[in-house]
Amino acid sequence: MNRSSVLFRRHPDLRDTTLPEGPEIRRAADELAAAIAGRQAIKIFFAFDNLKPYASRLQGATVCQVTARGKAILTRFSSGLTLYTHNQLYGRWLITADSEYPDSSRQLRLAIHTGEHAALLYSASDISILNNAELRQHPYLSHLGPDLLDPGVDAGQLAARLNEMQYRRRCLMGLLQDQRVLAGMGNYLCCEALHVAGIHPQRRPADLSSTQLLQLTGSCLQLARQSYETGGITNDLERATILRQQGAPFEACRFHIYRRAGLPCYRCGTDIIKDRFCGRMGYLCLTCQQQ
Ligand SMILES: [Zn+2]
């Protein structure tokens, strides 16, 4: 872990308002794995009636593995079943000491107790228990595109994908956030990657040169991986470190343009604007990202 990640690392909590994207989900999976993988689930709670019968089937099983796939988390049990959870907009995982429940108005949807820790999922509604055949055929998992945090994925491969006939005439603001195209990309990563690559959010892969397309997919990969390693920072790390040392709050240091409407672009000084692009809210520097 480098100096910056120590400086910025923070624990997710129930007040965090940034919607989770690939890096946040991967970190949540890492933290869940550190707390409960290799441990026996001595008590399991499900809030939804359709899942309650599984509690007794999973209690006593060992948690084998916790992994992220796109924006979903898979928790595999030694009984052969896998818990699938997708946080969507509001879901949050929290890890506590086993008997500790936080004071929260959010609704607890599931809890896995190991005796030492409890893994608690709040507010999520997309939760299911799957056997191996169901896992392979799952409608979300089976259609996921290449994962930005998969070390085997490279910029050339992603550029070729964006250039495929079914994708190349779609607006980048929507295309990059389609999990069937690229897994793990959400709104903040999309705005930041387009800005770093100097590309307007309404452009399409078909409008770009091969160099621009490679710059864009390289930025997508680099920013997703940096965000994963640093606890959510896509800004230039040196700049973010200086801002943090000057006393700026974490949220004010994280991004190049995201949530910086009305503030000057770090690169050119033009005011950042917030607007709707291809139906999605986003941020833009009109000087650095010309249409
Ligand atoms: Zn600019």
Side-chain angles (χ1 to χ4, degrees):
M1 190 182 293
N2 63 30
R3 189 170 61 91
S4 299
S5 57
V6 172
L7 183 63
F8 289 108
R9 189 160 284 273
R10 60 183 183 144
H11 285 287
D13 65 36
L14 293 173
R15 293 160 299 175
D16 192 344
T17 58
T18 307
L19 296 180
E21 301 184 16
E24 288 71 40
I25 299 297
R26 179 69 66 100
R27 285 200 307 277
D30 290 349
E31 290 175 14
L32 281 169
I36 65 172
R39 312 258 175 177
Q40 190 181 29
I42 59 171
K43 188 177 141 201
I44 294 194
F45 162 79
F46 288 112
F48 298 126
D49 285 343
N50 65 317
L51 296 174
K52 285 182 189 294
Y54 288 105
S56 59
R57 289 180 62 185
L58 293 174
Q59 264 160 213
T62 298
V63 177
C64 302
Q65 198 182 33
V66 185
T67 51
R69 292 275 309 280
K71 295 184 185 179
I73 289 181
L74 302 178
T75 305
R76 289 186 68 85
F77 289 85
S78 58
S79 57
L81 294 173
T82 298
L83 168 68
Y84 167 94
T85 55
H86 190 302
N87 282 7
Q88 296 172 313
L89 294 184
Y90 302 109
R92 286 287 187 281
W93 280 100
L94 197 69
I95 296 157
T96 64
D98 191 77
S99 56
E100 249 178 49
Y101 281 77
D103 184 16
S104 171
S105 57
R106 285 171 175 259
Q107 292 200 316
L108 181 66
R109 294 293 166 72
L110 78 88
I112 303 169
H113 294 266
T114 66
E116 190 177 344
H117 291 106
L120 311 172
L121 179 59
Y122 286 88
S123 307
S125 54
D126 192 0
I127 303 171
S128 46
I129 301 288
L130 307 169
N131 62 31
N132 288 335
E134 291 166 330
L135 198 57
R136 281 192 296 275
Q137 294 159 9
H138 190 275
Y140 175 79
L141 298 172
S142 63
H143 290 102
L144 278 176
D147 196 310
L148 292 171
L149 295 173
D150 176 345
V153 171
D154 66 34
Q157 184 186 342
L158 294 187
R161 186 164 180 81
L162 296 186
N163 232 347
E164 287 175 17
M165 287 307 289
Q166 71 267 37
Y167 301 138
R168 65 193 312 267
R169 298 194 189 284
R170 284 176 54 187
C171 161
L172 282 164
M173 188 69 178
L175 182 66
L176 293 175
Q177 295 182 59
D178 183 339
Q179 301 302 294
R180 294 167 297 185
V181 182
L182 300 181
M185 196 93 171
N187 196 257
Y188 86 77
L189 280 174
C190 182
C191 292
E192 293 282 286
L194 286 165
H195 176 73
V196 169
I199 293 169
H200 192 285
Q202 281 175 329
R203 298 193 89 188
R204 311 166 304 165
D207 304 325
L208 305 181
S209 68
S210 53
T211 305
Q212 285 176 308
L213 198 52
L214 267 178
Q215 277 171 343
L216 176 61
T217 55
S219 296
C220 292
L221 288 171
Q222 192 266 324
L223 295 183
R225 290 165 185 178
Q226 177 181 306
S227 179
Y228 169 64
E229 286 164 9
T230 59
I233 299 162
T234 46
N235 203 350
D236 175 81
L237 275 183
E238 199 174 327
R239 177 189 299 131
T241 303
I242 291 168
L243 289 169
R244 195 79 169 120
Q245 286 167 343
Q246 290 170 345
F250 177 80
E251 288 296 327
C253 306
R254 289 179 65 182
F255 303 117
H256 289 275
I257 57 165
Y258 189 75
R259 289 187 173 164
R260 294 193 64 245
L263 295 171
C265 169
Y266 289 122
R267 195 186 297 162
C268 73
T270 305
D271 283 358
I272 307 288
I273 60 164
K274 179 181 181 182
D275 206 343
R276 193 169 280 277
F277 306 100
C278 315
R280 291 172 188 260
M281 290 309 295
Y283 296 81
L284 170 73
C285 170
L286 278 167
T287 303
C288 293
Q289 298 167 263
Q290 293 185 7
Q291 194 153 19

